Each structure stands twice: as C-alpha cells, then as structure tokens.
C-alpha cells in the first residue's frame, strides 16, 4: 500500500490507495502501460480553493469537519476500464472511497449541488473537462468519458465525506493515440471571446502565498454591453479551477459574490507556489455553460 498525506490547513488526512481484492485480477502488471495502477500514485493537492468560500458561509461546519478529520484517514482507489485506454473510446472511471479500516464511506456532503467534482486535464493543460460522476453507493463513484486525443491526463476529484475535511485526490491516466504537446504561454491580454460572452480577467497580487482576487467581467459578444443575465451554474455565478503547469497544484474556487448575475464575478484564492497556472472560469448564460481559459504567471 502506498501512503500519501493530504495537508489541509488545520489537519492532516492520510489518503491511502487500497486495493480491493476483487479488482486485483483486473490489474495485470503487464498492462501498467494503460491506466491501471494509477491509484498507486495519488498525490494530494492542497485544498485551498474552497476555504475562502467556507470561511464566509459555513465556518462552524467547516471547523467541525476539520476537527473530525484529524483522526480520519481515507482510502481512495481509482480504476479504469479498459486498462489500455485509447483516444476516442469510452473509458469507465471508478473511484472507490473508504475509511481507515477499508470500509466504504457511505455519506458525502453536497458541495455546489454535487457530491463529487471530477476535473480531467491533459498534460499540457490544453484539454479540460469538469464532470460529476454518478454516486453508485458504497463509496463508489463512476464516470464514463471519451478523450479526444492520446497522451497523459491528470484527474482530480474533490469531495467531502460526512465527518471528514474537504479532500482532493488525483491520479494519472495514459491514453493511447496521437497528441502534440503544446507548452503553455502566459496570456498577454486577459480577454477571451466565446459565443456567449467576451470575458476579461483582472487579477490582483499574482504572488505566491498571497491572497489574489480574480475578477471576471462579462460583455455581450456582439454589442459589447455589460451582461447582467448570467445564470447560476451549480448554485453559483461561476466556478473556477486553477492548475499549475507542473500539474501539482489544484485549486477549485467558488465566487465571493455567489448570487450575482454579472457583469462581474469575483473569486479570491491564494496561489501556493510561483510559476505558470491555467485558470478556467465556468459560467452559464442562455441555458448553456461556457468555459474561458486564462494562463497567468505567479511570481
Ligand atoms: Cu463540479
């Protein structure tokens, strides 16, 4: 068993990969090339993104959870079918979550209308997807995905079992197929255009360890008028996911002004280390969600 530690602000939660006896047969060592065994390498990202929001809204609950989590250990096992994943083919992702004794956890708190958020990114952070696996009961979440290209992907799942701290686990998935790696470059202009909105990002204090505010402003793609018709997506004006170029840092941030409709959505977070980061903002308008990626350098 491989043991890694999750560092939360108030607590340490050990996350261990555990292997269900019944699934051992599926993970033949000859197939390590595929997705198998990626549950053995589950580095845990610090879970800073949620904290700001919780500080404002759920402080008592959060402290209580952290207290409980001090004794709490989680086991998280990822598995994939088929073992040798290929571009363009359906892949079943299972994530089994259990307690320190290996008993499946039963109850998960809703966080922004979902029990578990799964983010899938390509190694060069070009590909991004945000999905919500179905809870099958007994601590098991399942998601089917089709990845368009080959290469290395990183998966981050964040969730909060009842009585535990908010937790992020991650793994790596290798997919057969062609892919051209494109190195990220910092945006010179922080303006992105989609068919739903022109989105401008203003970021203050892009310095490691400091509180940074990310303010997104929305204008109509044709008229340029300030938009005030953003719709709530998963219970908030928007959702922001931030991942470092080295894929080590994962932040899932919720807005300061949860209930707004535009023209601005503000988020507060803290980048844990310097370097390049990609920031994806997800918003909804006219019944459709849209995603805007930005690349910033943190000093
Ligand atoms: Cu989500």
């Amino acid at each position: 068993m491989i043991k890694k530690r999750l560092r939360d602000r108030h607590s340490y939660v050990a996350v261990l990969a555990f292997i269900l006896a019944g699934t051992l047969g599926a993970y033949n060592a000859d197939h390590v090339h595929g997705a198998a065994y990626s549950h053995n390498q589950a580095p845990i990202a610090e879970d800073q993104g949620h904290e700001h929001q919780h500080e404002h809204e759920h402080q008592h609950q959060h402290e209580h959870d952290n207290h409980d989590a001090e004794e709490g250990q989680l086991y998280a096992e990822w598995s994939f079918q088929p073992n040798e994943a290929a571009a363009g083919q359906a892949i079943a992702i299972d994530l089994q979550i259990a307690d320190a004794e290996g008993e499946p956890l039963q109850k998960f708190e809703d966080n922004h209308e979902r029990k578990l958020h799964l983010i899938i990114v390509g190694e060069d952070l070009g590909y991004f997807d945000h999905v919500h696996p179905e809870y099958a009961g007994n601590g098991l979440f399942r998601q089917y995905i089709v990845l368009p290209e080959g290469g290395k992907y990183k998966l981050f799942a964040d969730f909060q079992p009842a009585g535990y701290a908010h937790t992020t686990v991650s793994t790596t998935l290798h997919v057969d197929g062609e892919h051209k790696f494109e190195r990220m470059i910092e945006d010179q202009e922080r303006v992105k255009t989609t068919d739903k909105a022109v989105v401008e990002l203003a970021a203050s204090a892009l310095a490691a360890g400091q509180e940074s505010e990310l303010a997104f402003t929305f204008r109509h793609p044709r008229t340029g008028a300030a938009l005030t018709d953003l719709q709530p997506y998963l219970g908030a004006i928007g959702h922001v996911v931030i991942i470092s170029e080295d894929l080590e840092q994962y932040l899932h941030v919720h807005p300061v002004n949860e209930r707004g409709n535009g023209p601005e959505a503000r988020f507060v977070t803290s980048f844990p280390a310097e370097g390049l980061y990609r920031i994806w903002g997800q918003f909804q308008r006219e019944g459709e969600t849209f995603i805007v990626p930005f690349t910033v350098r943190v000093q």
Side-chain angles (χ1 to χ4, degrees), residues 114 116-118 130-132 234 252:
R114 295 293 188 274
L116 186 140
H117 301 259
L118 175 63
H130 177 176
V131 294
H132 302 101
L234 299 175
H252 188 165

